[in-house]
Amino acid sequence: MRSWAFGLRVRLVLSFLLVAAVSAGTTAALTYREARSALLQTAQDTAVSSFRDQVQQTGWGLPVQREGLEEVLRDLARKGKPRTWVVFAEYGSLRASSGESPVSTVITPELRRAARANPNGSFERVVKDGVPYLTIAMPTVFKASPDSVLPTGLVLYAVMRMTDEQVNVEALVTAARDGALPGLAVSLIPGLIASRSVLRPVRNLRRAAQSMGSGRLDTRIPVRGSDELADLAHTFNESAGQLERSVQELREAEARARRFAADVSHELRTPLAGMLAVTEVLDEDADGLDADTARAVRLVSTETGKLAVLVEDLMEISRFDARAAELNADEVDVAEALRKTLQSRQWTDGRVRTELPDGIRARLDPRRFDVVVANLVGNALRHGSAPVTVRLRSEARPEGPPVLITEVADSGPGIRPEALPHIFDRFYKADAARTRSAGSGLGLAITRENVRLHGGTIRAGNLPGGGAVFTVEIPLHAEEAGG
């Protein structure tokens, strides 16, 4: 059974979904990145600007004392934007904060170095234990002149949790995911529609090809539109029309050739019958004629006999070509039928040996089976070498009915390998130098047609020790009487 798991429709739909998924994923990723950057940038800019302003607006007395510093830090923390901060102060060895611990675990050495190097302040985003933080470092300064400032040594740090921003970012991811999945499901509909519009001409082409393969050469595809598929349908119709015309011409030529062969053969039968009667009379009187006349009479008689055989074979082969040959099957004893064939042709001397077990019965056409055996044995005697062996046996097959096997083997040199594929062709001569023979050149072709009419097969080969062998296999339609 043919599998459609990865058919053209599935591949088209999957390709469409892949493009939609890549497009949706790219759009969602870009949107997420921009939205995330905007959220974080807004919160970051607000916090940095607010902290800078609060630090600059606060008056600081130098040197800094611990008394009152924590209260100032808590006041700064309460004024934090966009939400409250935890503010830390570092002044020499002095450490203080607006929270419970005077030292922060999220302020990094890199931020401390940046704060000492940049009087305008620095910031850094830090993730600790899965929680995002914004850390801001702002050194306090005093103006040494209108154009220069000097650090006081006091550095303030603001630490702000960014959990709200993280929640908003996660909400963006969820929204992008929840929006992409329905989008892909919706994109499946145009994918199916597109695949249907593409596959309809392909299905029409497949059905048309199957129809033409079954013999309906008048099959055509309806042409719709003006795209590449329409061009393909138009090309198919043109090719189908040319093929139909060519096949019709070949059929007409073949029919004319068959009628000609049949008509010529039929018309030759009557004059040949008269010629055969005359040559029989001449043969009887040949001994009373002079040597040259007797030789000519016998030559005419021999060639007339060959011509009669050729005419009969041509008529027989024309019946096969016209599908007019009929099988008149009857249940017969196959060994007895083979003996009658050999006896009627006087092949009971030492030239022909037999291995014919009794009890094998089959449904055969006695006349056509007689022709098969006679042609094979006669061919072996003419072109092979005596003795010729005729073997009969039946054989069971794993699948199907048992078969009747008839083998005809000679003791000659065998058939050349290059001649084996053509041995059953009409008028084929295995020996190119043999231009004349007693046969018509149609014997093996007629033999093959008679075997096919029985539903069997025939093959030619060579024996390992030399000699040609022809094997006929015909399905057995009757039980063996002898078990």
Side-chain angles (χ1 to χ4, degrees):
M1 182 177 179
R2 187 173 182 179
S3 173
W4 294 94
F6 295 97
L8 185 56
R9 174 190 288 275
V10 176
R11 293 200 298 270
L12 284 174
V13 172
L14 290 179
S15 299
F16 195 91
L17 288 178
L18 179 61
V19 172
V22 171
S23 301
T26 303
T27 303
L30 293 175
T31 303
Y32 162 75
R33 188 184 68 178
E34 295 299 323
R36 177 178 180 275
S37 298
L39 282 173
L40 297 178
Q41 190 71 35
T42 300
Q44 174 182 294
D45 291 347
T46 301
V48 172
S49 176
S50 176
F51 188 55
R52 181 184 291 114
D53 292 342
Q54 294 296 329
V55 171
Q56 291 176 354
Q57 291 172 9
T58 302
W60 303 95
L62 297 176
V64 177
Q65 302 295 325
R66 181 180 294 277
E67 292 77 9
L69 178 59
E70 292 182 352
E71 183 61 30
V72 174
L73 296 179
R74 283 192 288 270
D75 183 62
L76 287 174
R78 285 191 296 270
K79 295 177 181 179
K81 294 180 181 179
R83 62 188 63 85
T84 57
W85 309 317
V86 177
V87 182
F88 297 86
E90 294 182 358
Y91 183 74
S93 61
L94 178 63
R95 301 289 185 270
S97 75
S98 64
E100 298 178 355
S101 175
V103 180
S104 172
T105 59
V106 297
I107 297 175
T108 63
E110 291 79 6
L111 184 62
R112 289 187 173 93
R113 288 193 295 269
R116 290 193 294 267
N118 186 2
N120 294 320
S122 301
F123 64 89
E124 185 180 26
R125 287 201 293 267
V126 180
V127 178
K128 184 174 179 61
D129 298 331
V131 180
Y133 295 90
L134 175 65
T135 57
I136 307 170
M138 194 64 62
T140 59
V141 297
F142 65 89
K143 288 187 176 182
S145 66
D147 297 327
S148 65
V149 294
L150 293 175
T152 64
L154 173 64
V155 181
L156 301 178
Y157 297 92
V159 177
M160 182 183 74
R161 281 175 174 259
M162 301 190 75
T163 52
D164 290 349
E165 286 75 16
Q166 184 180 25
V167 170
N168 291 334
V169 169
E170 291 175 352
L172 284 174
V173 174
T174 303
R177 181 193 62 202
D178 295 344
L181 293 178
L184 288 178
V186 172
S187 66
L188 182 62
I189 297 175
L192 291 173
I193 295 174
S195 66
R196 182 179 180 182
S197 64
V198 171
L199 290 178
R200 184 186 298 112
V202 177
R203 287 195 299 269
N204 292 338
L205 181 62
R206 176 175 58 84
R207 285 194 292 266
Q210 290 176 342
S211 180
M212 291 190 66
S214 63
R216 297 182 57 185
L217 299 181
D218 58 343
T219 302
R220 299 294 184 271
I221 301 176
V223 180
R224 297 186 180 91
S226 57
D227 55 7
E228 290 82 356
L229 292 174
D231 293 340
L232 177 61
H234 183 69
T235 302
F236 178 87
N237 291 340
E238 288 184 345
S239 301
Q242 294 176 357
L243 178 62
E244 183 181 15
R245 289 189 293 272
S246 299
V247 171
Q248 184 62 32
E249 292 174 358
L250 288 174
R251 286 174 177 172
E252 292 175 354
E254 185 179 7
R256 288 194 299 269
R258 289 174 179 173
R259 285 196 303 269
F260 176 78
D263 292 344
V264 169
S265 301
H266 181 74
E267 293 299 326
L268 285 175
R269 293 185 74 181
T270 301
L272 276 174
M275 293 173 63
L276 286 173
V278 173
T279 55
E280 288 179 1
V281 174
L282 292 176
D283 275 341
E284 294 177 356
D285 297 335
D287 293 337
L289 302 174
D290 60 85
D292 291 338
T293 305
R295 191 163 44 252
V297 166
R298 292 190 178 94
L299 178 61
V300 170
S301 177
T302 301
E303 296 302 321
T304 302
K306 291 180 181 178
L307 183 59
V309 172
L310 175 61
V311 169
E312 290 297 329
D313 287 348
L314 282 173
M315 292 195 66
E316 182 71 8
I317 206 74
S318 66
R319 282 191 287 269
F320 284 113
D321 290 341
R323 308 291 194 272
E326 296 181 354
L327 190 70
N328 298 314
D330 192 10
E331 186 175 338
V332 299
D333 185 315
V334 184
E336 184 61 28
L338 287 170
R339 293 188 188 97
K340 289 181 179 179
T341 297
L342 300 178
Q343 290 171 0
S344 64
R345 290 164 178 81
Q346 298 180 356
W347 289 336
T348 55
D349 53 10
R351 294 182 301 164
V352 179
R353 300 173 181 175
T354 60
E355 297 177 12
L356 308 177
D358 293 327
I360 300 179
R361 303 187 65 83
R363 288 194 61 81
L364 303 171
D365 185 326
R367 184 185 71 84
R368 295 189 181 278
F369 188 67
D370 173 81
V371 171
V372 169
V373 176
N375 281 344
L376 292 179
V377 175
N379 187 75
L381 290 173
R382 284 193 301 271
H383 307 300
S385 178
V388 174
T389 303
V390 180
R391 297 184 181 92
L392 176 68
R393 70 179 188 276
S394 61
E395 185 176 294
R397 295 293 167 87
E399 296 180 0
V403 295
L404 174 72
I405 301 178
T406 307
E407 289 184 353
V408 177
D410 63 46
S411 303
I415 306 171
R416 298 198 314 275
E418 64 270 18
L420 279 173
H422 311 285
I423 200 67
F424 296 104
D425 293 352
R426 299 176 186 182
F427 300 109
Y428 178 76
K429 292 182 174 60
D431 185 359
R434 180 173 52 85
T435 59
R436 301 283 296 172
S437 68
S440 64
L442 296 171
L444 290 179
I446 292 173
T447 298
R448 180 175 61 178
E449 296 297 335
N450 277 312
V451 172
R452 286 179 176 176
L453 202 60
H454 282 86
T457 59
I458 182 172
R459 62 180 182 273
N462 291 312
L463 295 172
V469 58
F470 288 82
T471 305
V472 176
E473 295 183 0
I474 298 175
L476 271 173
H477 299 291
E479 297 294 335
E480 295 183 18

